[in-house]
Amino acid sequence: AVFLDKNSPQFQTYMNQSEQRILALYQAVIQSYQALNDAPKMMEWGEKALGFKPDDVTTLAMISNVMAERPPTNEEEKAKQMKRAEELATQAIMLLPTFLASPDAANLPANTKTDLTAQMHYTLGLIYLHQKKLGQAQQELLTSIQSKPNDPITYYRLGVAYVQDMKNDQAMEALAKSVYLKGVSEAGARDILKQLYVNKNKSEQGLEEYIKSAGA
């Protein structure tokens, strides 16, 4: 056993390392439930992790994203979950500049930092989309795209936000980019794009060329 003066730098270093280890264990549990596709358990353990360290950016980003991506079907429960998700995502974005300037982030690759920034704004954009705050949703999704310009899912969500806001031309462009970039959102983006394109042009002729042009 080693006894350290609580006011010494050595004690503070020890406590910081212990805190990091404990938080890593919480996050390992969260990631395990993610592998099991168990969103309720992810959120449960996420709240426990935040109880231990309320200002941890990684946990805030992870849990707010799960809440945004897995909304309840019950409207009252959905509104409650989105309110909590908005609180967490907003807090994460506020803390992000300090985190990126901290020693903890010093060794992170540049693309990891930009991906984290993009994810946070994407999450908040999706939350606003669920809440029908369409202007704010569009703004956050566009901010996400500035950090990560080749993400098809973000373009898909942006297209949906434009559709709901009756901005069909902007919706078509965003959805065409999502289709061009492929990924899991391709089929959904193509279905909506096709409806908008045919409604505007009275024909599917030229659709593929439009997708390629938007993608370029």
Coordinates of all heavy atoms in Angstrom, one line a residue, residues 130-185:
H130 N -37.1 15.2 -34.9 CA -38.2 14.5 -34.2 C -39.1 15.5 -33.5 O -40.3 15.2 -33.4 CB -37.6 13.6 -33.1 CG -36.9 12.3 -33.6 ND1 -37.6 11.4 -34.4 CD2 -35.7 11.8 -33.4 CE1 -36.8 10.4 -34.7 NE2 -35.7 10.6 -34.1
Q131 N -38.6 16.6 -33.1 CA -39.4 17.6 -32.4 C -40.1 18.6 -33.3 O -40.8 19.5 -32.9 CB -38.5 18.4 -31.4 CG -37.9 17.6 -30.3 CD -36.9 18.4 -29.4 OE1 -36.2 19.2 -30.0 NE2 -36.8 18.1 -28.2
K132 N -39.9 18.4 -34.7 CA -40.5 19.2 -35.7 C -40.0 20.7 -35.7 O -40.6 21.6 -36.1 CB -42.0 19.2 -35.6 CG -42.7 17.9 -35.6 CD -42.4 17.1 -36.9 CE -43.1 15.8 -36.9 NZ -42.7 14.9 -38.0
K133 N -38.8 20.8 -35.1 CA -38.1 22.1 -35.2 C -37.2 22.1 -36.4 O -36.0 21.9 -36.4 CB -37.2 22.3 -33.9 CG -38.0 22.3 -32.6 CD -37.1 22.4 -31.4 CE -37.8 22.4 -30.1 NZ -36.9 22.4 -28.9
L134 N -37.9 22.3 -37.6 CA -37.3 22.0 -38.9 C -36.1 22.9 -39.2 O -35.1 22.5 -39.8 CB -38.3 22.1 -39.9 CG -39.5 21.0 -39.7 CD1 -40.5 21.2 -40.8 CD2 -39.0 19.6 -39.7
G135 N -36.2 24.2 -38.9 CA -35.2 25.1 -39.2 C -33.9 24.8 -38.4 O -32.8 24.8 -39.0
Q136 N -34.1 24.5 -37.2 CA -32.9 24.2 -36.3 C -32.3 22.8 -36.7 O -31.1 22.6 -36.7 CB -33.4 24.1 -34.8 CG -33.7 25.5 -34.3 CD -34.4 25.4 -32.9 OE1 -35.6 25.2 -32.9 NE2 -33.7 25.5 -31.9
A137 N -33.2 21.9 -37.1 CA -32.7 20.6 -37.6 C -31.8 20.8 -38.9 O -30.8 20.2 -38.9 CB -33.9 19.7 -37.9
Q138 N -32.3 21.6 -39.8 CA -31.5 21.8 -41.0 C -30.2 22.5 -40.7 O -29.2 22.1 -41.2 CB -32.3 22.7 -42.0 CG -33.6 22.0 -42.5 CD -34.6 23.0 -43.0 OE1 -34.3 24.1 -43.4 NE2 -35.9 22.6 -43.0
Q139 N -30.2 23.4 -39.8 CA -29.0 24.1 -39.4 C -27.9 23.2 -38.8 O -26.8 23.2 -39.2 CB -29.3 25.3 -38.4 CG -28.1 26.1 -38.0 CD -28.4 27.2 -37.1 OE1 -29.6 27.5 -36.9 NE2 -27.4 27.8 -36.5
E140 N -28.4 22.3 -37.9 CA -27.5 21.4 -37.2 C -26.9 20.3 -38.2 O -25.8 20.0 -38.2 CB -28.1 20.7 -36.1 CG -28.4 21.6 -34.9 CD -27.2 22.2 -34.3 OE1 -26.1 21.5 -34.3 OE2 -27.3 23.3 -33.8
L141 N -27.8 19.8 -39.1 CA -27.4 18.8 -40.1 C -26.4 19.4 -41.1 O -25.4 18.8 -41.5 CB -28.6 18.2 -40.8 CG -29.5 17.4 -39.9 CD1 -30.8 17.1 -40.6 CD2 -28.8 16.1 -39.4
L142 N -26.6 20.7 -41.5 CA -25.7 21.3 -42.4 C -24.3 21.5 -41.7 O -23.3 21.4 -42.3 CB -26.2 22.6 -42.9 CG -27.4 22.5 -43.9 CD1 -28.1 23.9 -44.1 CD2 -26.8 22.0 -45.2
T143 N -24.4 21.9 -40.4 CA -23.1 22.0 -39.6 C -22.4 20.7 -39.5 O -21.1 20.6 -39.7 CB -23.4 22.5 -38.2 OG1 -24.1 23.8 -38.3 CG2 -22.1 22.7 -37.4
S144 N -23.1 19.6 -39.4 CA -22.5 18.3 -39.4 C -21.8 18.0 -40.7 O -20.7 17.4 -40.7 CB -23.6 17.2 -39.1 OG -23.0 15.9 -39.1
I145 N -22.5 18.3 -41.8 CA -21.9 18.1 -43.1 C -20.6 18.9 -43.3 O -19.7 18.4 -44.0 CB -23.0 18.4 -44.2 CG1 -24.1 17.3 -44.2 CG2 -22.4 18.5 -45.6 CD1 -25.3 17.6 -45.0
Q146 N -20.5 20.0 -42.7 CA -19.3 20.8 -42.9 C -18.1 20.1 -42.3 O -17.0 20.2 -42.8 CB -19.5 22.2 -42.2 CG -20.4 23.1 -42.9 CD -20.6 24.4 -42.1 OE1 -20.0 24.6 -41.0 NE2 -21.4 25.3 -42.7
S147 N -18.3 19.3 -41.2 CA -17.3 18.5 -40.6 C -17.0 17.2 -41.3 O -15.9 16.7 -41.4 CB -17.6 18.3 -39.1 OG -17.6 19.5 -38.4
K148 N -18.1 16.6 -41.8 CA -18.1 15.3 -42.5 C -18.9 15.3 -43.7 O -20.1 14.9 -43.7 CB -18.5 14.2 -41.5 CG -18.2 12.8 -42.0 CD -18.6 11.8 -40.9 CE -18.3 10.4 -41.3 NZ -18.7 9.4 -40.3
P149 N -18.4 15.8 -44.8 CA -19.2 16.1 -46.0 C -19.6 14.9 -46.9 O -20.4 15.1 -47.8 CB -18.3 17.0 -46.9 CG -16.9 16.7 -46.4 CD -17.0 16.3 -45.0
N150 N -19.2 13.7 -46.5 CA -19.5 12.5 -47.3 C -20.3 11.5 -46.6 O -20.2 10.3 -46.8 CB -18.3 11.9 -47.9 CG -17.6 12.8 -48.9 OD1 -18.3 13.5 -49.7 ND2 -16.3 12.8 -48.9
D151 N -21.2 12.0 -45.7 CA -22.0 11.0 -44.9 C -23.4 10.9 -45.4 O -24.2 11.9 -45.4 CB -22.1 11.5 -43.4 CG -22.8 10.4 -42.5 OD1 -22.2 9.3 -42.4 OD2 -23.9 10.7 -42.1
P152 N -23.8 9.7 -46.0 CA -25.1 9.6 -46.7 C -26.3 9.7 -45.7 O -27.3 10.3 -46.1 CB -25.0 8.2 -47.3 CG -24.0 7.5 -46.5 CD -23.0 8.5 -46.1
I153 N -26.1 9.3 -44.5 CA -27.2 9.3 -43.6 C -27.6 10.8 -43.2 O -28.8 11.1 -43.1 CB -26.9 8.5 -42.3 CG1 -26.7 7.0 -42.7 CG2 -28.0 8.6 -41.3 CD1 -26.3 6.1 -41.5
T154 N -26.6 11.6 -43.0 CA -26.8 13.0 -42.7 C -27.5 13.7 -43.8 O -28.5 14.5 -43.6 CB -25.5 13.7 -42.4 OG1 -24.8 13.0 -41.4 CG2 -25.8 15.1 -41.8
Y155 N -27.1 13.4 -45.1 CA -27.8 14.0 -46.2 C -29.3 13.5 -46.3 O -30.2 14.2 -46.7 CB -27.1 13.6 -47.5 CG -26.0 14.5 -47.8 CD1 -24.7 14.1 -47.8 CD2 -26.2 15.9 -48.1 CE1 -23.6 14.9 -48.1 CE2 -25.1 16.7 -48.4 CZ -23.8 16.2 -48.4 OH -22.8 17.1 -48.7
Y156 N -29.5 12.2 -45.9 CA -30.8 11.7 -45.9 C -31.7 12.4 -44.9 O -32.8 12.8 -45.2 CB -30.8 10.2 -45.6 CG -32.1 9.5 -45.4 CD1 -33.1 9.4 -46.4 CD2 -32.5 9.0 -44.1 CE1 -34.3 8.8 -46.2 CE2 -33.7 8.5 -43.9 CZ -34.6 8.4 -44.9 OH -35.9 7.8 -44.7
R157 N -31.2 12.5 -43.7 CA -32.0 13.2 -42.6 C -32.2 14.7 -43.1 O -33.3 15.2 -42.8 CB -31.2 13.2 -41.3 CG -30.9 11.8 -40.8 CD -32.2 11.1 -40.3 NE -31.8 9.9 -39.5 CZ -32.7 9.0 -39.1 NH1 -34.0 9.1 -39.5 NH2 -32.3 7.9 -38.4
L158 N -31.3 15.3 -43.7 CA -31.4 16.7 -44.2 C -32.5 16.7 -45.2 O -33.4 17.7 -45.2 CB -30.1 17.2 -44.7 CG -30.1 18.6 -45.3 CD1 -30.5 19.6 -44.2 CD2 -28.8 19.0 -45.9
G159 N -32.5 15.8 -46.1 CA -33.6 15.7 -47.1 C -34.9 15.6 -46.5 O -35.9 16.3 -47.0
V160 N -35.1 14.8 -45.5 CA -36.4 14.6 -44.8 C -36.8 15.9 -44.2 O -38.0 16.3 -44.2 CB -36.3 13.4 -43.8 CG1 -37.5 13.4 -42.9 CG2 -36.1 12.1 -44.5
A161 N -35.8 16.6 -43.5 CA -36.1 17.9 -42.9 C -36.6 18.9 -43.9 O -37.6 19.6 -43.7 CB -34.9 18.4 -42.2
Y162 N -36.0 18.9 -45.1 CA -36.4 19.8 -46.2 C -37.8 19.4 -46.7 O -38.7 20.3 -47.0 CB -35.4 19.8 -47.3 CG -34.2 20.6 -47.1 CD1 -32.9 20.1 -47.5 CD2 -34.2 21.9 -46.5 CE1 -31.8 20.9 -47.3 CE2 -33.1 22.6 -46.3 CZ -31.9 22.1 -46.7 OH -30.7 22.8 -46.5
V163 N -38.1 18.1 -46.9 CA -39.4 17.7 -47.3 C -40.5 18.1 -46.4 O -41.5 18.7 -46.8 CB -39.4 16.1 -47.5 CG1 -40.9 15.7 -47.7 CG2 -38.6 15.7 -48.6
Q164 N -40.3 18.0 -45.1 CA -41.3 18.3 -44.1 C -41.4 19.9 -44.0 O -42.5 20.4 -43.6 CB -40.9 17.8 -42.7 CG -40.9 16.3 -42.6 CD -40.7 15.8 -41.2 OE1 -40.6 16.5 -40.2 NE2 -40.4 14.5 -41.1
D165 N -40.4 20.6 -44.5 CA -40.5 22.0 -44.5 C -40.9 22.6 -45.9 O -40.8 23.8 -46.1 CB -39.1 22.6 -44.1 CG -39.2 24.0 -43.5 OD1 -40.3 24.4 -43.1 OD2 -38.1 24.7 -43.5
M166 N -41.3 21.7 -46.7 CA -41.8 22.0 -48.1 C -40.8 22.7 -48.9 O -41.1 23.5 -49.8 CB -43.1 22.9 -48.0 CG -44.2 22.4 -47.1 SD -44.9 20.9 -47.8 CE -45.8 21.5 -49.2
K167 N -39.5 22.3 -48.7 CA -38.4 22.9 -49.6 C -38.0 21.7 -50.5 O -36.9 21.1 -50.3 CB -37.3 23.3 -48.7 CG -37.6 24.5 -47.8 CD -36.5 24.9 -46.8 CE -36.8 26.0 -45.9 NZ -35.7 26.3 -45.0
N168 N -38.8 21.5 -51.5 CA -38.6 20.3 -52.3 C -37.3 20.3 -53.1 O -36.7 19.2 -53.3 CB -39.8 20.0 -53.2 CG -41.1 19.6 -52.4 OD1 -40.9 19.3 -51.2 ND2 -42.2 19.6 -53.0
D169 N -37.0 21.4 -53.7 CA -35.7 21.4 -54.5 C -34.5 21.1 -53.7 O -33.6 20.4 -54.1 CB -35.6 22.8 -55.2 CG -36.6 23.0 -56.4 OD1 -37.1 21.9 -56.8 OD2 -36.8 24.1 -56.8
Q170 N -34.4 21.7 -52.5 CA -33.3 21.5 -51.6 C -33.4 20.0 -51.1 O -32.3 19.4 -50.9 CB -33.4 22.4 -50.4 CG -33.0 23.9 -50.8 CD -33.5 24.9 -49.8 OE1 -34.7 25.2 -49.8 NE2 -32.6 25.4 -48.9
A171 N -34.6 19.5 -50.9 CA -34.7 18.1 -50.5 C -34.2 17.2 -51.5 O -33.5 16.2 -51.2 CB -36.2 17.8 -50.2
M172 N -34.5 17.4 -52.8 CA -34.1 16.6 -53.9 C -32.6 16.5 -54.0 O -32.0 15.5 -54.2 CB -34.7 17.1 -55.2 CG -36.1 16.7 -55.4 SD -36.9 17.6 -56.8 CE -35.8 17.0 -58.2
E173 N -31.9 17.7 -53.8 CA -30.5 17.7 -53.9 C -29.8 16.9 -52.8 O -28.9 16.1 -53.0 CB -30.0 19.2 -53.8 CG -28.5 19.3 -54.0 CD -28.0 20.7 -54.0 OE1 -28.9 21.7 -54.0 OE2 -26.8 20.9 -54.0
A174 N -30.3 17.1 -51.5 CA -29.8 16.4 -50.4 C -30.0 14.9 -50.5 O -29.1 14.1 -50.3 CB -30.4 16.9 -49.1
L175 N -31.2 14.5 -51.0 CA -31.5 13.1 -51.1 C -30.7 12.4 -52.3 O -30.3 11.3 -52.2 CB -33.0 12.9 -51.4 CG -33.9 13.2 -50.2 CD1 -35.4 13.4 -50.6 CD2 -33.8 12.2 -49.1
A176 N -30.5 13.2 -53.3 CA -29.7 12.7 -54.5 C -28.2 12.4 -54.0 O -27.6 11.4 -54.4 CB -29.7 13.7 -55.6
K177 N -27.7 13.3 -53.1 CA -26.4 13.1 -52.6 C -26.3 11.9 -51.7 O -25.4 11.1 -51.7 CB -25.9 14.3 -51.8 CG -25.6 15.5 -52.7 CD -25.3 16.8 -51.9 CE -25.0 17.9 -52.9 NZ -24.7 19.2 -52.2
S178 N -27.4 11.6 -50.9 CA -27.4 10.5 -50.1 C -27.4 9.2 -50.9 O -26.7 8.2 -50.6 CB -28.7 10.5 -49.2 OG -28.8 9.3 -48.4
V179 N -28.2 9.2 -52.0 CA -28.3 8.0 -52.9 C -26.9 7.8 -53.6 O -26.4 6.7 -53.6 CB -29.3 8.2 -54.0 CG1 -29.3 7.1 -55.1 CG2 -30.7 8.3 -53.4
Y180 N -26.3 8.9 -54.0 CA -25.0 8.8 -54.7 C -23.9 8.2 -53.8 O -23.1 7.4 -54.2 CB -24.5 10.2 -55.1 CG -23.2 10.3 -55.9 CD1 -23.2 10.0 -57.2 CD2 -22.0 10.6 -55.2 CE1 -21.9 10.1 -57.9 CE2 -20.8 10.6 -55.8 CZ -20.8 10.4 -57.2 OH -19.6 10.4 -57.9
L181 N -24.0 8.6 -52.5 CA -23.0 8.1 -51.5 C -23.3 6.7 -51.0 O -22.5 6.1 -50.3 CB -22.9 9.1 -50.3 CG -22.3 10.4 -50.7 CD1 -22.6 11.4 -49.5 CD2 -20.8 10.3 -50.9
K182 N -24.5 6.2 -51.4 CA -24.9 4.8 -51.0 C -25.0 4.6 -49.5 O -25.2 5.6 -48.8 CB -24.0 3.8 -51.6 CG -23.9 3.9 -53.2 CD -23.2 2.7 -53.8 CE -23.2 2.9 -55.3 NZ -24.5 2.9 -55.9
G183 N -24.8 3.4 -49.0 CA -25.0 3.2 -47.5 C -26.4 2.7 -47.2 O -27.2 2.5 -48.1
V184 N -26.6 2.6 -45.9 CA -27.9 2.1 -45.4 C -29.1 3.0 -45.7 O -30.3 2.5 -45.7 CB -27.9 1.8 -43.9 CG1 -26.8 0.7 -43.5 CG2 -27.6 3.1 -43.1
S185 N -28.9 4.2 -46.0 CA -30.0 5.2 -46.2 C -30.3 5.2 -47.7 O -31.3 5.9 -48.1 CB -29.6 6.6 -45.7 OG -28.4 7.0 -46.3

